[in-house]
Every structure is written in C-alpha cells, then in structure tokens.
Amino acid sequence: MENEATTAKFQSMLDARGISRRSFMKLCGTIAAAAGLSQLTVAQVAQAVENSVIGAQEGGLYPVIWMEGASCTGCTEAFAQIDDPDPATVVLEMISLNYCETLSAAAGWSMEEARKQTIEAGNYILVYEGALLKRWDGHALRIAGEPGIDSFKETAEKANAVVAFGSCATNGGWMGAEPNSSDAVGCQKYMQEQGIDVPVINVPGCPPNPEWLVAILVDVVMMQVLPELNEQNKPAVIFNETVHDNCERRGHFENGEFVYQFGSPEEAKNYCLYAVGCRGPQTRANCGIVRYNHRRSWCVESGAPCIGCCEANPLDPGDNWVEVNTPFYIRHRDLRIGGVPFQPTTIGWIAIAAVAAVMVIHGFGMKAKGNFGFVETEKVREWDAKHPNESIGVYDDSVLKKEGE
Ligand code: FSX
Ligand code: SF4
C-alpha cells in the first residue's frame, strides 16, 4: 500500500514535469546499466528513486558539495546536458546541491558561506572535478581568494566520501602531462599526501559519462553503500572491462578487417579502427554498453577511434591519458608495461621468442607423435609494406621456423 501511495505521489511529480512513466522507466534502465545491474533490477531501482525523491520532498535531502579545480568544465557540462527525462533533474531532486560553481544560482561570498555551513553540518558527499594544482603552495589555482588545494582539503576531510569525477580529478588528467608545470595531481594522491582518510571513488573520462555519476549517486545516496571498487578505486562494474571487450566492431578486429585511412571504403564498411589509432584494447570503461547522450551513440560507433580518455592511474599523474595516448589517430608505437615504455616491435620480438620457446617444447611432443608441423603466422600486410614509417613491425614467421627447426 505504501509503495502504491509513493508511486502515485511520484507519478504526479513526473506529470508536473511532463515526464512520462515510460521515459522514467527508461531512465531507471539506464541507471541499472550504468551501475552494472541486470535489467531485472529496473523495478527496484525505480522504487529506490521514488522513495528517495519523495524523502527529499519531505525534507530528507542528502547534501552534496560539487567543487571544481583546474579543468575545462566539461564534466559539469556533460552532466547538465543529459536529457529525456532529465536524469540530472531527478538526481538533483535526491540531493541538495549546496555548492556548485557552475550550476548554483548564487555566487561569491554567499556560495562560500554555503560550503562552510555544509561542512559544519557534516554528512555530505564531495564531488570534485578538475585537477588539484600544488605549484607555488597551491597559488597556481586560487579559488575565492584561497589556494584551491586548501578549500579542497577543508571540504574533503569532513566528507563521507569523495567522488573524483573526470580524469583530471582522478590523476591530474592532461594537466599532469610532461612537464606538468603546475604540479597537477588527482584527489586520491593529494589526500594520501595530506593523510586524509576518506573513501575515494575515481570516475575517469574526459569527460566521464554523466550516467556513471548518476549510478554512483544512486548507490551512495539512495542505497547508502559504496559501489564495489577495483584496485584503482574505480567502480568495478564500469571500469573492469576494456572498451574493446564490448565494441560492436570487434568482429572486424578478429577478422583482420581494419580502417587504414579515413575516407576509405573500409571506413564506410565500419571496419575496426585499430589501425587508425583506437586505444580500445588498453582502455578500461564500459562506454560501448552505457553509450552517450542517452544511449544515442558513442565514440567508436560515431566513427572516432577511442583516444583512451579513461586512462588515469590515481597515484601517478605521469600515467595520464594524454601522455600515454598521444599522438592520437595513429597506431601506438610505444606501449607502457609497468611504467617502462616499449616499442611494439620489441614486444613483438619478445612475444615471438616466448611463442617460439613454447613451440619448441610443443614440437618435441609433436615429433614424438610423428605429426610435427607449423601453422602459418601472419605475413607482412600490403598496407604496411607501402607505409613503412607507420607500420608497427613486420610479421615474419621465418624466426619461428628457424627457432622451431
Ligand atoms: Fe577534466 Fe572536467 Fe576533461 Fe574537462 O571539469 S576530465 S578537462 S572534460 O572538464 O576535468
Ligand atoms: Fe577494439 Fe577499437 Fe577495433 Fe573496437 S574499434 S574492436 S575497440 S580496436
């Protein structure tokens, strides 16, 4: 009975905003997908949202402080632009956004006062976007007349949790790229340096998918639990698989069907974008599942190779997505393994040597059985032969044959 009453009350709120029940259920499906939940849980998510929004209407708002460090504001922009129905509105009704430089109507002294009062009252979440700049004792970025790192510290140490939203907040992002002249770092590293022991949820991406934040706020605000985090404090359901794992062009990758040039017939056939620089195989995020702009499309579907914007090692600003992945749109020539850069050719030779060693051992067994033979390895691609400067190495099976003989 209580559920029915809540649903009816909530429905009248949706009606007042011109949002149909169908659109609302679609939103809950998106939240469930972004949170890595089965679509069977959509009804539960809907109930949780309803209870939370009704609770909020009755005075139970959960306070959130949203601060911005050094950034392009793309993270707030991405969050503010999602629509149909507007999840931002639904979420904003679950929380009390007491401070947000971009979205709040207030400004200046009264805004800073709201932040201080929220900190004093306690029991809030800090959403932080942008990098922390430590250079010149934090004067590289001053906010409201103070070093930005000081207001971050003051707000983070009393928070229930800190959501580092975006690659800049996760590890400094593009500002952390060499020479990192402003000494940019992410929230987790700075908090560690300052001895601030508050849970951190890292949500990389430049910008991150706003629906990831919706899902996290649903967990933290409504379910009162932290999402399961991986070894880099990133929500496991969002960041444990690679872009490549869930890519619709994966079949073409497996078939060796690549786009080598934009504007080519291969591009028109939606072949795999690896040869024009796709970083999907080494970038961990569920972009292909959640998609962008209310599931309309996402980078690879729209024809752009993944540029690895979710690459962000929270404790190492040097391991940021720009430094690791530039130059974009060409195949990777340097790969990092344990912080050491390798040329793919070197890795190719190491792999060939390892495979050869296995083949030799395997060969003894096959010889003993009297059926020794070699599978052909990939030849030099025609395109690579014509473009030696852009080739990532020669596929030469003579080494294998030599080692195996
Ligand atoms: Fe960084 Fe966000 Fe990239 Fe921009 O604020 S993650 S530069 S999209 O906006 O911080
Ligand atoms: Fe993998 Fe990128 Fe090719 Fe998709 S387009 S299959 S992510 S390499």
Side-chain angles (χ1 to χ4, degrees), residues 66-78 128-131 165-170 172-175 203-208 309 321:
W66 184 316
M67 294 175 75
E68 184 174 348
S71 77
C72 75
T73 317
C75 304
T76 309
E77 277 298 326
Y128 193 84
E129 68 171 294
F165 193 49
S167 289
C168 304
T170 301
W174 50 267
M175 277 150 286
V203 188
C206 193
C309 74
W321 69 277

Side-chain angles (χ1 to χ4, degrees), residues 16 48 55 57 77 80 99 126 144 167-168 214 235 260 275 283 285 295 299 310 322 377 385 398:
Q57 292 292 308
E77 277 298 326
Y99 178 100
L126 170 60
S167 289
C168 304
V214 173
Y260 288 105
T283 305
R295 298 196 184 183
C299 307
C310 291
V322 172
T377 54
S398 63

Side-chain angles (χ1 to χ4, degrees), residues 7 34 36 46 61-62 127 185 194 196 217 222-223 249 253 273 279 289 292 306-307 363 379 383:
T7 302
L61 288 170
Y62 197 102
V127 174
V185 293
Q194 297 294 317
I196 303 172
L217 290 178
M222 299 191 335
M223 316 282 191
R249 299 189 189 219
F253 176 91
L273 299 163
R279 308 291 190 251
I289 297 176
Y292 275 76
C306 166
I307 54 172
K379 300 282 189 209
W383 191 91

Side-chain angles (χ1 to χ4, degrees), residues 126-132 152 156 162-165 168-172 185-193 196 200 202 314:
L126 170 60
V127 174
Y128 193 84
E129 68 171 294
L132 291 150
F152 170 78
V162 174
V163 180
F165 193 49
C168 304
T170 301
N171 83 333
V185 293
C187 298
Q188 194 182 345
K189 186 168 165 60
Y190 187 68
M191 287 165 70
Q192 214 175 60
E193 288 168 0
I196 303 172
V200 183
N202 290 315

